[in-house]
Amino acid sequence: MSPTPAIPGAVPTPPNLGVRFAGVGSALPSKPLTNADLEQLMDTSDEWIVQRTGIRSRYIVDHERGESCLTLATAALRRALDEAHLAPTDLDLIILATMTAEMSCPPTSCRLAADIGAGTIGAIDVTAACCGFVYSLNTAYALIRSGLYRSIAVVGADTLSQYLTYDSSGRSTAILFGDAAGAAILRATDDTNKGLIAQAMHSDGARWVDLYIPEDLDRDFPEGHEPSPEHLKRVQMNGRGVFKFAVGTFSDVIQQTLHQAGLAATDIDMFVCHQSNARILSAARDRFGLSEEKLYINIDRVGNTVAASVPLCLDELTKAGRIKEGDKVMFVAFGGGLTWGTSLWQL
Ligand code: COA
């Protein structure tokens, strides 16, 4: 029998390869916004904010300086490429996780590809709120393992400050969020020990009203959630509801991922977690008996930076020498959607 001829353009048979992190980078905007600054703008106090969230400062974009989601993403990706010793043209695909795209069309990732000089490679935006970067890591891994792509930039960038109100009417959300971007370059490698060990991606759209940004008034909103004109394009959040959801879900999804991998929490070298609230992170540390060194917290300096939060932590930890080749690292996030997920790697 003659062999079946190859179909031109067919998807390649998945090769036996691993996936590695080749470089990481991050960028913060220029405008610091401390709790003392917020005290001048709204009825709040440093003590209230620190006690409830652990946040002392954050950075927000300065539009007068031309800063935006795109410029932050560009800076972070350039730094990641430099660290990887790669040219923009070495990339095959860019995945940009963001919920604050410059416009709804075009995808901000396309402009990012053009701005860094990556040519006409594929570029997609992923919208999964604070889970965007973790979801995108899992997606990029699968695309590389399939043999379709060899080098993918995964970027998380958000400027939620544009959806916040910096006066007393917006104090329950304005204190939480900061702007930032982080990027990682994933590449195929012959070292099959490197790559994803286990992952989880979940959503519960029935709870969407716990965290949302109304775009117009002509939609169906559940009773009690109908926005007034001043709520348009402003973050609406059920703080207590999200807090309760996060404390439980955060630990459960870590446990589920450890179980899937057949590992114990003590086998993990570093937990790189979405920074939503220092109390939520401390609760996870306590549940798994982790030391401060193993579950990183930087929310005091940068606030909750949405999809940028996980790659920003990754970059800081890598630069500090606290994450290195050979480590087992679990990325964890949750957020609007509601969404939650993990990505456990052997680096
Ligand atoms: N400064 C001072 N007082 C404030 C305030 C602020 N910035 N924001 C709200 N308050 C007031 C409220 O008006 C309320 O006053 P009242 O009792 O007179 O009505 C009181 O503080 C308590 O508000 P509440 O919302 O119940 O506070 P809380 O203890 O739940 O803390 C959060 C609020 C937002 C810090 C907390 O719920 C939280 O962190 N939730 C999770 C949010 C999150 O992580 N979101 C992102 C997910 S990715």
Side-chain angles (χ1 to χ4, degrees):
M1 220 167 59
S2 58
T4 316
I7 304 163
V11 173
T13 310
N16 192 20
L17 43 76
V19 179
R20 70 186 179 93
F21 281 72
V24 292
S26 64
L28 288 167
S30 61
K31 212 160 130 180
L33 190 63
T34 64
N35 291 353
D37 296 328
L38 290 175
E39 283 176 346
Q40 304 302 311
L41 299 169
M42 59 188 73
D43 180 15
T44 192
S45 68
D46 174 58
E47 191 193 0
W48 193 97
I49 301 171
V50 173
Q51 249 179 25
R52 296 231 178 14
T53 70
I55 302 169
R56 295 179 186 277
S57 190
R58 72 285 293 142
Y59 295 84
I60 62 169
V61 286
D62 186 343
H63 294 291
E64 283 173 16
R65 289 184 166 201
E67 291 175 340
S68 71
C69 183
L70 176 60
T71 65
L72 291 177
T74 306
L77 180 49
R78 283 213 173 103
R79 287 170 190 156
L81 283 165
D82 282 352
E83 191 179 282
H85 304 294
L86 291 174
T89 46
D90 291 324
L91 294 175
D92 304 321
L93 182 72
I94 293 179
I95 304 178
L96 171 63
T98 184
M99 58 179 269
T100 55
E102 298 279 324
M103 304 173 197
S104 41
C105 184
T108 302
S109 52
C110 297
R111 295 175 63 187
L112 174 58
D115 285 2
I116 61 158
T120 57
I121 60 168
I124 43 176
D125 285 9
V126 166
T127 303
C130 298
C131 277
F133 184 82
V134 171
Y135 270 36
S136 299
L137 276 185
N138 294 338
T139 307
Y141 172 79
L143 287 170
I144 294 174
R145 280 290 288 123
S146 72
L148 285 175
Y149 294 89
R150 287 195 69 80
S151 303
I152 302 181
V154 182
V155 185
D158 267 305
T159 50
L160 210 67
S161 60
Q162 71 200 59
Y163 292 117
L164 302 170
T165 305
Y166 292 98
D167 64 30
S168 294
S169 69
R171 66 179 183 170
S172 60
T173 49
I175 56 149
L176 291 175
F177 298 96
D179 302 336
I185 314 290
L186 300 189
R187 295 204 94 191
T189 167
D190 291 334
D191 184 347
T192 52
N193 292 319
K194 291 184 172 23
L196 194 75
I197 304 171
Q199 61 86 42
M201 297 198 276
H202 295 284
S203 74
D204 182 1
R207 292 193 59 184
W208 69 270
V209 284
D210 279 345
L211 188 46
Y212 67 108
I213 303 176
E215 297 285 336
D216 61 55
L217 300 173
D218 309 324
R219 304 286 161 131
D220 275 341
F221 288 93
E223 218 181 311
H225 294 278
E226 304 87 347
S228 4
E230 69 270 20
H231 293 149
L232 288 182
K233 296 191 190 295
R234 291 291 171 266
V235 174
Q236 308 297 311
M237 187 180 70
N238 167 8
R240 284 196 180 180
V242 174
F243 188 89
K244 259 198 208 156
F245 153 80
V247 169
T249 310
F250 201 70
S251 295
D252 291 349
V253 77
I254 291 175
Q255 188 55 55
Q256 176 196 340
T257 310
L258 289 171
H259 180 73
Q260 206 186 100
L263 295 171
T266 45
D267 295 325
I268 308 301
D269 296 294
M270 187 65 76
F271 288 86
V272 183
C273 301
H274 172 54
Q275 308 282 308
S276 62
N277 186 311
R279 288 189 291 152
I280 295 171
L281 294 166
S282 304
R285 265 187 191 156
D286 292 347
R287 161 135 177 219
F288 293 102
L290 300 170
S291 66
E292 283 194 12
E293 287 71 42
K294 281 209 172 186
L295 197 157
Y296 186 58
I297 298 184
N298 70 356
I299 194 170
D300 52 320
R301 286 182 284 114
V302 297
N304 176 345
T305 59
V306 192
S309 148
V310 167
L312 184 58
C313 289
L314 171 64
D315 189 38
E316 289 182 2
L317 285 163
T318 306
K319 300 289 187 288
R322 292 176 58 187
I323 287 185
K324 50 197 184 314
E325 203 178 333
D327 282 356
K328 286 186 180 59
V329 175
M330 192 189 295
F331 302 96
V332 191
F334 62 88
L338 299 172
T339 50
W340 60 104
T342 58
S343 194
L344 173 57
W345 286 73
Q346 174 69 61
L347 299 185

